[in-house]
Amino acid sequence: MNPKPSLVILTGAGISAESGIKTFRSGDGLWENHRVEDVATPEGFIRNPGMVQRFYNERRRQLSEVSPNAAHYALVELERAWPGSFLLVTQNVDDLHDRAGTHSLLHMHGELKKVRCLSCNVAIPWEKDVLQDSPCPTCNKKGKLRPHIVWFGEVPFGMDEIAYALQNCDYFAAIGTSGHVYPAAGFVQWVGKNCRTYEINLEPSIVNSAFSESIQGIATQTVPTWVKEILSKNKQ
Ligand code: OAD
């Protein structure tokens, strides 16, 4: 057994569901009562920037009403005790992994608590609402800020780092993700042939058959139990 095993975790909306953040695919095809094409595409933003900014302002404000749950904290404990390299890749744009205390964290779909300037292209931490004429704190141009979110048709962040970590990991776990959105849904195919793969989700995802192990249930119960188990097999 590798004394310094490498571990990559992928999380999706399911891990934040019990904190009170709605998942994306709850059956009606809408995200918080909006069509995905209207609020999660570059074309939607060009058509109606005011509405898109208001939508993300609301999502950003909602973060102050929610807190990390037992699954987020279990992954902090896992990182702390893990004997080898650790990377948590999240598709979530909330800040619950950050607030729980995960260090090695990559937000592949962006972050609600950042905006990006369309003029100078700098991403800036942002807590408050974005208004139509908010100036960029870096270049001072007005009306150029957009949500720092990866919309459909855009390339996710950190893909080189993610590909390298996946190709070299001994363990890969996907938690709370439905397997509908690529490239994340295909990560289980990027790992080497000796990698042990786990899917931890409320129900089998559409890519479930690609995993060597499947654990079903709510994240606040399944994740802490799985963390204990994998740590007991990989002591420092
Ligand atoms: P989805 O909403 O597609 O899937 C969430 C998954 O979590 C589903 O399979 C649920 O069964 C599961 N789930 C729900 N509650 C759970 C719980 N308490 N414990 C464990 N699992 C639970 O969300 P994602 O797969 O994350 O992209 O969606 C991927 C991407 O699609 C998002 O990052 C977003 C969206 O378009 C962007 O915003 C760019």
Side-chain angles (χ1 to χ4, degrees):
M1 195 193 286
N2 185 351
K4 293 224 172 276
S6 155
L7 166 63
V8 179
I9 311 253
L10 169 72
T11 62
I15 198 164
S16 296
E18 291 163 83
S19 291
I21 298 181
K22 276 199 193 139
T23 57
F24 293 94
R25 290 168 188 80
S26 327
D28 55 8
L30 298 178
W31 181 13
E32 297 278 1
N33 301 321
H34 289 74
R35 290 184 340 140
V36 167
E37 307 86 80
D38 292 337
V39 294
T41 62
E43 296 76 20
F45 185 57
I46 291 166
R47 264 198 311 273
N48 195 344
M51 187 271 286
V52 174
Q53 296 286 17
R54 280 194 297 281
F55 177 79
Y56 288 96
N57 286 343
E58 232 170 83
R59 307 277 77 72
R60 195 177 303 109
R61 264 186 255 140
Q62 193 190 35
L63 294 182
S64 64
E65 294 154 21
V66 298
S67 305
N69 64 47
H72 297 103
Y73 286 116
L75 296 183
V76 176
E77 171 60 18
L78 178 57
E79 179 180 27
R80 195 192 57 72
W82 188 251
S85 76
F86 175 98
L87 177 65
L88 199 169
V89 179
T90 187
Q91 299 170 87
N92 299 343
V93 295
D94 66 51
D95 61 349
L96 297 181
H97 286 303
D98 311 66
R99 276 157 59 192
T102 293
H103 291 290
S104 183
L105 174 64
L106 203 159
H107 280 275
M108 67 176 288
H109 287 168
E111 294 171 69
L112 278 170
K113 287 222 175 145
K114 281 187 184 161
V115 293
R116 188 164 77 247
C117 176
L118 290 166
S119 184
C120 68
N121 207 32
V122 174
I124 308 136
W126 197 271
E127 299 275 341
K128 45 192 195 239
D129 285 357
V130 180
L131 307 175
Q132 291 274 53
D133 60 349
S134 291
C136 167
T138 307
C139 71
N140 225 19
K141 288 226 172 79
K142 286 188 175 170
K144 294 286 178 189
L145 299 178
R146 63 159 274 182
H148 189 53
I149 303 285
V150 176
W151 287 325
F152 285 96
E154 298 182 323
V155 180
F157 298 121
M159 290 311 298
D160 288 347
E161 188 185 341
I162 295 170
Y164 180 84
L166 286 169
Q167 282 153 15
N168 292 287
C169 70
D170 300 287
Y171 296 96
F172 170 66
I175 303 173
T177 178
S178 65
H180 280 95
V181 174
Y182 283 80
F187 285 175
V188 64
Q189 316 276 8
W190 295 20
V191 302
K193 67 176 173 16
N194 293 323
C195 178
R196 222 175 163 73
T197 57
Y198 300 82
E199 177 175 275
I200 305 172
N201 205 38
L202 192 59
E203 63 209 346
S205 79
I206 57 169
V207 292
N208 175 267
S209 62
F211 289 83
S212 42
E213 299 197 27
S214 171
I215 299 165
Q216 274 134 48
I218 54 171
T220 53
Q221 289 176 5
T222 52
V223 178
T225 306
W226 173 75
V227 163
K228 271 197 203 104
E229 218 177 273
I230 195 161
L231 278 178
S232 72
K233 290 186 203 142
N234 293 275
K235 294 216 172 75
Q236 294 228 33

